Amino acid sequence: MTEVEDILCAHYVDCMKYHIGVLVEKSLSWYGRVTLHDLIEQMGKEIVRQESPKEPGKRSRLWLPEDIIQVLEVNKVGETNE
């Protein structure tokens, strides 16, 4: 059983398959694991990029290698709204 199935089974015991169907309907893919639809992932990345378009060190998350290298080279830790 996968981790997602374990979690759903712990919370919803008898209707796990129904809840997996709900996840799939919410634009998540199900191939034995849950993955985001590519467009949802791109939208999330754009939202984070807009936090600070020119200064990656001020963003809440980094995923592009060039942004990570820039932040590490400048030795800055970004401030977030958390």
Side-chain angles (χ1 to χ4, degrees), residues 31 39 44-45 72 75-76:
Y31 301 104
L39 292 175
K45 287 179 176 181
L72 291 174
N75 197 22
K76 289 186 178 178

Side-chain angles (χ1 to χ4, degrees), residues 35-49:
T35 58
L36 285 175
H37 188 281
D38 290 344
L39 292 175
I40 293 174
E41 182 179 350
Q42 288 174 4
M43 179 182 65
K45 287 179 176 181
E46 179 58 21
I47 289 169
V48 170
R49 190 192 67 77

Side-chain angles (χ1 to χ4, degrees), residues 7-82:
I7 292 168
L8 290 173
C9 188
H11 291 284
Y12 302 107
V13 185
D14 295 329
C15 53
M16 180 182 65
K17 288 184 181 182
Y18 166 78
H19 290 286
I20 290 173
V22 170
L23 290 174
V24 171
E25 287 176 20
K26 301 281 183 195
S27 295
L28 298 173
S29 300
W30 178 257
Y31 301 104
R33 64 189 178 107
V34 177
T35 58
L36 285 175
H37 188 281
D38 290 344
L39 292 175
I40 293 174
E41 182 179 350
Q42 288 174 4
M43 179 182 65
K45 287 179 176 181
E46 179 58 21
I47 289 169
V48 170
R49 190 192 67 77
Q50 289 177 11
E51 292 173 352
S52 180
K54 295 183 181 188
E55 296 183 59
K58 293 186 178 181
R59 297 180 194 153
S60 60
R61 289 162 184 78
L62 298 173
W63 58 87
L64 294 175
E66 56 268 20
D67 291 344
I68 295 168
I69 290 168
Q70 178 185 344
V71 170
L72 291 174
E73 285 178 346
V74 177
N75 197 22
K76 289 186 178 178
V77 176
E79 295 179 23
T80 63
N81 296 331
E82 296 180 40

